[in-house]
Amino acid sequence: MKNIYYLVIISLVFVSHSSFGQEIFKDSLQDGVNQVTEKLITKYGDENSERIVRGVRHLSNLWFEENGSGSEFQEFCLKQFIPSGPELDNALDIAEQQFSAINGYQRELSLALDFPLVTMTRPITELDRFFSDSKITIDFFKSKLALAIALNFPYYTNEEKEAFGAKWSRKKWAMVRLGDKFDFRSDPDKEPDPMPIPDELRDYTTRYILSMDHVLSPELKVLFPEGTRLNSHNGLRDEIKGLYYRDNPLEKQRVISTIVMHIIYQTIPECMVGETAYYWEPIANKVYLKEGEKLVETAFKAEPDNRYKVLHHNMLSKMRQDAIHPEGSTYLTRTFKNGQLSEEKIVSLLESVLSATEKKAVAALIEKKIGRKLEPFDIWYTGFSDNTNYKMDELDQLIKEKYPTPMAFQQDLPNILKRIGFPDFEAEFLGNHVVVDPIPSGGHANAPQMKGAKAHLRIRFEKDGLDYKNYRVGMHEIGHTIQQNVGTYMSDYYLLKGIPGSPYTEAMADLIAYRNLIALGINEEYSAREKQDNALAAFWFVCEMGSEALHEIRVWHWLYDHPDATVEELKAATIAIAKDIWNQYFAEIFGVRDVPILAIYNHFISGALYLHSYPIGNIVVMQLEEQFEGKDFATEMIRTCKIGKLTPDLWMIQATGEPLSSRPLLRAMRNALEAYK
C-alpha cells in the first residue's frame, strides 16, 4: 500500500507543478508535505489516502509564507482535515449554504450598483461610476477558508475530470466543483500595476451609437426613419438581418455594409459617432451640414483608431495577468481551460463545418431566395427561418402593441412559456422569476445566485415598444433565464447549478429563440419545415460566427507572437487576418477577395475571447434538437438544464448519449437541403 501511496505522491507532485508551478513553499514546507501526509493516512486510513495526498499537495501550492511556517502548515492539515463520511457531507452542506449566501448577496449588490450604467435609464454621472467600481470582495485566503476547502476538497484537472467523472456520483461532482473554487492563488508580489484606460475610451463600445436618420443615400436622401439609432456591431448587423424581411432592402443593406467597413478601417467620420447635427453619405464618405433645407458639404476628421486603441488596451491588460500565473500560462490557455474545451477541439469543430462541401449548395439556396448574387454582408443572412405570412412592418407593429413596455413583456413571460409547451406550474414559476430591464442595445441575462432572487433579462425597447428584432433577442434571453432559474431552484446541489461552459448556455438560449413564432401565437407548432430552416440557419451562422471566432483566436496568437506591437500594427494585423480567413472560406462562394467584415464584432474588441461560444453553441443546439425529436420539449429542456456543471463531453453524453460533435448539425443541414430540392 505504501508503494502505491508514494507512486500517487510522485504523480501528483508532477501534476501539481505542471499545473500550477507555484514556488511558494520553502524546503521545510516540502518536508512537511510528506510528513503530514503520512501522519494523516496513518490516522484516517487508506480509504482517505487519495484525498489526503491530493489535498495536502494542493494546499502546499496555495500556502504562502504569510499563512505560517512549515510546522504551522502541518498543524493546519492535522487540525482541519475532515475524513470522508458524515463529517465531510456536513461540510459540503455548509459550503453550499454559505456560498449561496455570499454569491447571492454580492450579486444583488452588484445589480444595484451597476444598474444606471447598464440600463442607461438616466444620464450617467461620475458618481455612478464610482459606485459601480465600489464592489465588495472577500479574501477567502486571509480567513483561511480557501485553505481548508483546498485541503478537504482537492482539485482535479480537466483531463482527470474527463477520465474519472463518468463514474462519480452527483455528490462527488459537487465536492469536485467546490475544490475548483480555489485551484490557483496569485502571488500579490507579482501582480502587475493597473493599466488604466483613458477616460474618453471608457464604455467605448457601449456608447458607439450611430444616428441612422442622418445617413444619406448617394442621392442625398435620408435612408432611415427619424429616431433610428443603431450601435456597432449588434445594431448594424441586426438591421441588415431584419431588412431581408422588408421591401427593397438592398440599398440600405449596402449602405450599412459600407458603414461597417468604415468602422473597421477607421475611416468613419468622428463626428458621426453618437448624437450629431451632421449628415453622412457613406458610399462617397462625405459629411454635410444643413443650412436651411440645403445640405452643404463640410470637412471632417476620421475617428483616430479608437477602436484599435481599445482592443490593444484590453488585450494587453489581459496578457499582463500572465505574470501572476505559472510559466507557460497565457490568457489563451486559461480561457480554454476555464471553458473545459481545448482550443484544438474548438478549432476542429469549427473547421469541420466551415470546410463542409455543402456550403456552396447553401449559398446557392440563399441566392435563389434573395434573387441576386451574394454580397459580403449576406454572411449575415437569416431568411431561412422565421418564415411568416406577416411583413416585417406588420410584425413590428403587432409586437409593439403587445409589448409597449418592459413590464408588459415581463408580465407575459409565463404565457410565452406556456405557448412553447411548458406546463402551467413550470411556466408560472420560471416566468415569474424574471425581471425585464431596458438597455441601449443588444441583450443579456443576469443569473440569480441564490433562492429568492430572480434572473434579470435585459433587451432594447424602442420609444414605441419592442420590435421584432429585439423581441427575438428577448426570446434568446428567455432561454438563458430558464437555464439559470432551473439551475438555481431545481438543482440537487448548489455547486452543480449552471452549465459546463458558455457555448452550452448559448445553446439553451437558442432552443427557445427557435420557437419565437410559437411564443407569439403565430405558429401553432414547431413544424418539420421550421426545423429544416433552422438547421440551415444554424449551419450558415456557424460558418459566419465560426470564422469570426477563428479570427479572434488568430489575432490573440498574433499579439502573443508580437507582444510589443503598436496600435497601428495590431490594426493592420487584425484586418489582414480577417481578410485571410475570408479568402480561405468565403472568397470562392462570394466571388470577392480581401473582405475584412469578420473584424467588426465588439465582443472581439472587448478582448474577451468569447466569440467561439456562439458557433459551438449552435453545434450543441443541433445535437440537442436531434435528441429532443419526438419527446416533450419542456421536459427535455428542464432535464438537460438540471444536469449541471459537468465537463462538456460528459454533460453531452448525459443529455444525448454522445460526446459533443458537429455531425448532428451537418446531418440536419444535409436533410434540409434534400427537402428543398
Side-chain angles (χ1 to χ4, degrees):
M1 182 56 67
K2 280 210 166 188
N3 288 337
I4 295 174
Y5 152 62
Y6 281 118
L7 284 174
V8 173
I9 279 193
I10 290 170
S11 66
L12 282 170
V13 168
F14 174 75
V15 169
S16 178
H17 279 277
S18 62
S19 299
F20 305 103
Q22 296 290 350
E23 297 175 358
I24 60 172
F25 48 87
K26 301 177 181 178
D27 292 341
S28 59
L29 185 58
Q30 290 191 37
D31 293 337
V33 168
N34 296 330
Q35 292 171 14
V36 77
T37 299
E38 288 195 43
K39 290 176 183 177
L40 286 170
I41 290 177
T42 300
K43 182 176 181 179
Y44 293 109
D46 288 342
E47 65 270 22
N48 286 285
S49 60
E50 195 260 352
R51 279 185 55 239
I52 291 169
V53 172
R54 283 183 175 274
V56 173
R57 175 56 56 185
H58 183 43
L59 177 59
S60 72
N61 287 312
L62 304 179
W63 188 275
F64 283 9
E65 189 174 0
E66 68 188 52
N67 299 125
S69 64
S71 61
E72 288 172 309
F73 170 80
Q74 290 195 53
E75 289 172 11
F76 183 89
C77 292
L78 292 169
K79 181 178 180 181
Q80 299 301 332
F81 182 77
I82 304 170
S84 299
E87 288 183 75
L88 190 65
D89 293 347
N90 186 52
L92 177 65
D93 291 341
I94 291 170
E96 289 226 310
Q97 294 167 14
Q98 299 292 37
F99 276 115
S100 174
I102 291 168
N103 297 339
Y105 286 111
Q106 281 188 325
R107 182 257 188 175
E108 296 305 308
L109 180 60
S110 179
L111 279 175
L113 296 178
D114 288 341
F115 188 83
L117 275 68
V118 172
T119 63
M120 294 188 180
T121 48
R122 60 170 171 76
I124 299 170
T125 69
E126 281 302 304
L127 199 60
D128 288 320
R129 298 187 191 281
F130 289 138
F131 272 114
S132 180
D133 292 340
S134 301
K135 299 298 192 306
I136 294 176
T137 59
I138 301 174
D139 189 340
F140 294 110
F141 286 99
K142 186 175 182 180
S143 69
K144 295 192 176 180
L145 173 65
L147 303 177
I149 287 175
L151 173 65
N152 289 289
F153 301 94
Y155 173 74
Y156 289 79
T157 66
N158 288 337
E159 293 75 17
E160 290 172 323
K161 292 183 181 88
E162 287 285 357
F164 308 141
K167 296 180 180 179
W168 287 344
S169 67
R170 299 283 293 177
K171 182 195 296 182
K172 173 66 174 178
W173 263 108
M175 290 180 174
V176 169
R177 288 309 186 193
L178 179 55
D180 284 347
K181 285 187 171 293
F182 305 109
D183 64 337
F184 170 75
R185 184 182 187 183
S186 63
D187 187 341
D189 293 336
K190 297 180 180 179
E191 186 74 39
D193 293 332
M195 189 176 171
I197 191 167
D199 287 344
E200 66 271 16
L201 296 180
R202 290 179 68 182
D203 306 320
Y204 173 78
T205 55
T206 303
R207 293 184 286 107
Y208 209 96
I209 308 293
L210 302 175
S211 299
M212 300 301 289
D213 52 3
H214 282 230
V215 171
L216 306 171
S217 70
E219 296 75 31
L220 303 188
K221 302 294 184 184
V222 174
L223 284 173
F224 296 88
E226 184 178 354
T228 302
R229 300 290 181 269
L230 298 177
N231 81 314
S232 171
H233 73 281
N234 298 73
L236 297 172
R237 177 204 61 188
D238 291 349
E239 186 70 14
I240 285 177
K241 289 182 176 183
L243 284 167
Y244 287 109
Y245 301 99
R246 300 184 187 275
D247 294 332
N248 304 314
L250 191 54
E251 182 179 30
K252 290 180 179 178
Q253 288 175 322
R254 284 175 172 165
V255 166
I256 295 174
S257 178
T258 302
I259 292 172
V260 167
M261 296 303 167
H262 281 304
I263 293 170
I264 291 170
Y265 283 113
Q266 290 287 261
T267 51
I268 182 173
E270 189 173 27
C271 61
M272 295 308 302
V273 180
E275 295 294 332
T276 183
Y278 293 89
Y279 289 79
W280 180 32
E281 197 276 275
I283 305 295
N285 202 18
K286 292 182 178 180
V287 172
Y288 300 84
L289 278 171
K290 264 194 172 181
E291 293 183 3
E293 294 300 314
K294 186 179 179 182
L295 288 168
V296 178
E297 187 178 348
T298 185
F300 68 88
K301 291 182 179 179
E303 186 181 7
D305 282 349
N306 286 342
R307 179 177 181 81
Y308 299 97
K309 290 177 185 176
V310 173
L311 174 63
H312 189 258
H313 172 274
N314 289 341
M315 293 181 76
L316 287 185
S317 295
K318 291 176 171 62
M319 290 170 66
R320 284 159 62 91
Q321 294 300 309
D322 295 350
I324 67 175
H325 290 270
E327 185 177 354
S329 175
T330 69
Y331 183 68
L332 270 164
T333 62
R334 291 191 298 276
T335 297
F336 296 118
K337 171 180 172 288
N338 292 338
Q340 303 178 93
L341 279 172
S342 70
E343 178 184 345
E344 292 75 20
K345 179 156 188 173
I346 288 169
V347 170
S348 175
L349 285 166
L350 297 179
E351 289 180 342
S352 70
V353 177
L354 277 160
S355 301
T357 57
E358 293 86 356
K359 189 169 58 178
K360 290 182 180 179
V362 175
L365 179 59
I366 296 173
E367 287 188 341
K368 183 177 179 181
K369 282 176 170 285
I370 60 180
R372 58 171 172 79
K373 290 290 185 181
L374 293 182
E375 299 191 24
F377 61 81
D378 291 316
I379 197 170
W380 290 321
Y381 179 76
T382 59
F384 300 109
S385 56
D386 300 339
N387 291 325
T388 159
N389 294 325
Y390 287 85
K391 290 186 175 181
M392 187 56 64
D393 289 336
E394 295 172 345
L395 202 54
D396 280 345
Q397 190 58 37
L398 182 154
I399 295 171
K400 286 178 180 179
E401 290 175 0
K402 191 175 184 66
Y403 305 122
T405 64
M407 182 55 69
F409 187 54
Q410 178 178 319
Q411 290 175 338
D412 200 41
L413 291 179
N415 296 322
I416 287 174
L417 296 182
K418 290 174 187 177
R419 287 192 286 269
I420 61 177
F422 280 79
D424 287 354
F425 175 81
E426 287 82 353
E428 293 287 344
F429 183 87
L430 295 171
N432 287 325
H433 278 79
V434 178
V435 176
V436 177
D437 298 322
I439 57 173
S441 63
H444 65 269
N446 186 295
Q449 296 297 325
M450 63 179 179
K451 291 180 179 177
K454 296 184 178 183
H456 278 245
L457 186 161
R458 289 164 167 172
I459 51 174
R460 177 179 173 83
F461 282 75
E462 304 298 338
K463 292 180 180 178
D464 53 349
L466 189 65
D467 60 15
Y468 176 74
K469 176 178 66 178
N470 289 300
Y471 162 76
R472 198 181 189 286
V473 173
M475 288 298 299
H476 177 93
E477 301 309 325
I478 288 173
H480 282 308
T481 67
I482 291 171
Q483 177 260 307
Q484 292 165 354
N485 278 320
V486 168
T488 300
Y489 288 94
M490 301 182 190
S491 288
D492 48 355
Y493 290 95
Y494 177 81
L495 291 159
L496 288 183
K497 83 179 188 70
I499 216 89
S502 51
Y504 287 71
T505 68
E506 298 301 333
M508 306 313 284
D510 277 336
L511 284 169
I512 300 299
Y514 281 174
R515 291 155 173 81
N516 72 90
L517 295 180
I518 302 172
L520 276 177
I522 290 175
N523 291 354
E524 293 184 2
E525 62 178 358
Y526 192 41
S527 66
R529 172 45 66 93
E530 201 171 0
K531 292 175 185 177
Q532 292 160 0
D533 289 344
N534 282 335
L536 291 170
F539 172 79
W540 194 247
F541 176 81
V542 173
C543 288
E544 173 242 322
M545 202 75 229
S547 59
E548 281 150 352
L550 292 179
H551 171 256
E552 181 177 44
I553 291 169
R554 290 185 192 180
V555 172
W556 268 103
H557 278 290
W558 183 90
L559 192 57
Y560 267 107
D561 291 338
H562 304 83
D564 298 322
T566 64
V567 171
E568 293 75 16
E569 289 168 336
L570 178 60
K571 173 185 176 182
T574 297
I575 293 172
I577 292 168
K579 290 179 179 179
D580 287 344
I581 295 175
W582 176 272
N583 292 341
Q584 181 179 359
Y585 292 111
F586 299 107
E588 183 181 354
I589 290 173
F590 283 80
V592 58
R593 293 179 60 82
D594 295 334
V595 177
I597 196 170
L598 304 175
I600 190 58
Y601 270 66
N602 280 352
H603 295 87
F604 162 64
I605 298 301
S606 75
L609 199 53
Y610 187 84
L611 291 181
H612 63 275
S613 298
Y614 297 109
I616 299 298
N618 268 249
I619 290 172
V620 173
V621 164
M622 286 296 107
Q623 194 163 345
L624 291 174
E625 286 278 42
E626 188 174 84
Q627 166 67 22
F628 287 10
E629 184 67 31
K631 301 180 177 68
D632 181 75
F633 172 72
T635 300
E636 286 297 290
M637 183 81 179
I638 291 174
R639 178 185 71 83
T640 51
C641 286
K642 289 167 69 175
I643 294 172
K645 293 179 67 175
L646 309 187
T647 61
D649 273 344
L650 291 175
W651 188 96
M652 189 60 82
I653 289 169
Q654 289 201 19
T656 71
E658 298 289 340
L660 177 60
S661 169
S662 61
R663 288 191 296 273
L665 168 62
L666 295 174
R667 275 196 297 268
M669 175 269 292
R670 289 164 185 151
N671 291 337
L673 281 176
E674 284 296 316
Y676 266 98
K677 285 184 179 179

